[in-house]
Amino acid sequence: MNAPGKLISFIVWAIVNGNLGAVSAEANCGRLEERLLFRKDLFTEPAEYPWIGLLVQRRDLDQKFESAECNVAIVGESHVLTTASCVRRFNNRPELVAVRLGIWDGENEPGQQYICNDRGFCVPGPVQYLVDAITMHPLADKDTGNNDIAILRLSQRINMTAYIQPVCLQPTLEPASWTSMDFHYGGFHEYDIKKGKGSVIAISRQYCNNETGTPPPENQFCGYPEFRVAFYKGAPMMGINVEHDVPSRFYLVGLLAKNVDAGQTLMTVFQDIRPVRHWILDNINSSSS
């Protein structure tokens, strides 16, 4: 199929699936399709986990942006989250970083109107947003890694589409402990260019200490992933809001802070969103007012 034919196919597909036009950030967070919850694919579909983006960097203002090997998660109309350890090296110089949203293949560049595979399936190209401000958590500890989270305010409001949407921040019901609960997570990693996904079970601090030799910091917890894949920092972990006995939306549980090689096992350490949720919401609301 030639390029115009591919584009027409994409437009028809988008109209049928309701994927044209802006999507409200507040009313359309945490998009979830139940059919995808039980599949064991290693990679997402193009519109799956549409809040995940890639942090990019440059050394000087006249240089091209390249991957910073960190994930970001959309949490507002002009805000994304990543880890403090991902942005600390920029010394509060937001002009050196940007984020690519709506990205599925890490090699795709912004400015591509649409991208098609060999079967004629087309998706929009990634969109790059410059960063206006970097705010690390005030208690982010470089030495212990505790409170490893930062919020990036983008230079303009995000144009929401089916491929670019925020994850929910608020759960409908939150347990007192994550231990032994299964979660979904995803993002980009070092083993492939496509956005990956997986599942992870939260484990006790005692078991984590036994396996890694080091307990996680106070506001972090360990996970045991199903597959041994080292995702970049900032990969979001999601829980599921259930409404009327139906899984309805994903909400943010944690951000990947580090991977720990424990011999035959790869342990993951996540920054817990619960103790920093009000800080995130306060920053989003203060920037929007």
Side-chain angles (χ1 to χ4, degrees):
M1 184 183 296
N2 57 27
K6 291 179 178 179
L7 180 57
I8 291 172
S9 297
F10 162 68
I11 293 174
V12 171
W13 178 87
I15 291 174
V16 170
N17 288 276
N19 291 331
L20 291 180
V23 181
S24 168
E26 295 181 2
N28 293 276
C29 66
R31 175 184 175 183
L32 183 154
E33 292 185 62
E34 189 172 2
R35 67 180 179 86
L36 298 175
L37 294 179
F38 318 107
R39 292 172 56 167
K40 298 298 182 181
D41 301 328
L42 296 179
F43 307 106
T44 68
E45 292 191 356
E48 193 176 1
Y49 302 166
W51 42 88
I52 295 176
L54 188 64
L55 186 72
V56 293
Q57 63 183 1
R58 56 184 173 183
R59 295 185 182 273
D60 296 298
L61 294 180
D62 60 348
Q63 289 190 336
K64 184 179 179 180
F65 283 102
E66 60 184 13
S67 173
E69 297 187 349
C70 288
N71 292 286
V72 301
I74 304 171
V75 291
E77 293 183 342
S78 57
H79 293 83
V80 302
L81 294 179
T82 190
T83 65
S85 54
C86 278
V87 296
R88 183 177 285 113
R89 63 184 181 269
F90 301 114
N91 296 315
N92 201 29
R93 294 186 62 192
E95 68 273 13
L96 297 181
V97 293
V99 299
R100 288 181 185 168
L101 306 180
I103 184 169
W104 181 60
D105 184 323
E107 291 189 341
N108 293 146
E109 296 284 337
Q112 296 175 266
Q113 185 176 7
Y114 62 95
I115 299 163
C116 302
N117 63 14
D118 55 4
R119 294 178 295 175
F121 180 81
C122 301
V123 297
V127 182
Q128 186 160 292
Y129 289 85
L130 299 177
V131 175
D132 192 49
I134 300 173
T135 304
M136 294 193 298
H137 192 278
L139 297 179
D141 192 315
K142 180 180 179 181
D143 296 323
T144 67
N146 202 25
N147 301 307
D148 191 9
I149 192 166
I151 187 165
L152 310 183
R153 187 179 75 234
L154 307 184
S155 59
Q156 63 188 95
R157 179 174 293 187
I158 299 170
N159 179 32
M160 303 293 178
T161 69
Y163 306 94
I164 304 176
Q165 294 180 26
V167 63
C168 299
L169 284 171
Q170 301 282 13
T172 52
L173 181 64
E174 194 162 58
S177 172
W178 299 133
T179 302
S180 295
M181 293 186 65
D182 286 302
F183 296 102
H184 299 262
Y185 77 125
F188 293 91
H189 53 77
E190 60 186 50
Y191 302 126
D192 202 282
I193 58 175
K194 289 187 172 59
K195 184 170 62 177
K197 67 176 184 177
S199 62
V200 59
I201 184 170
I203 60 176
S204 68
R205 299 178 70 84
Q206 178 181 351
Y207 185 73
C208 181
N209 188 27
N210 291 341
E211 291 294 307
T212 65
T214 305
E218 179 184 0
N219 289 332
Q220 295 181 3
F221 62 94
C222 291
Y224 195 108
E226 181 179 9
F227 302 113
R228 187 184 174 93
V229 177
F231 284 87
Y232 295 148
K233 290 182 177 183
M237 170 194 275
M238 290 84 66
I240 297 175
N241 283 331
V242 177
E243 298 176 7
H244 307 295
D245 204 32
V246 176
S248 59
R249 300 177 188 273
F250 284 110
Y251 71 93
L252 189 62
V253 170
L255 291 181
L256 181 64
K258 65 178 179 179
N259 298 289
V260 180
D261 191 340
Q264 295 183 339
T265 303
L266 180 73
M267 290 291 184
T268 52
V269 179
F270 288 87
Q271 171 62 46
D272 196 340
I273 292 298
R274 291 176 297 182
V276 298
R277 186 180 291 131
H278 287 299
W279 174 79
I280 296 169
L281 293 170
D282 288 345
N283 272 272
I284 293 175
N285 293 333
S286 64
S287 299
S288 302
S289 59

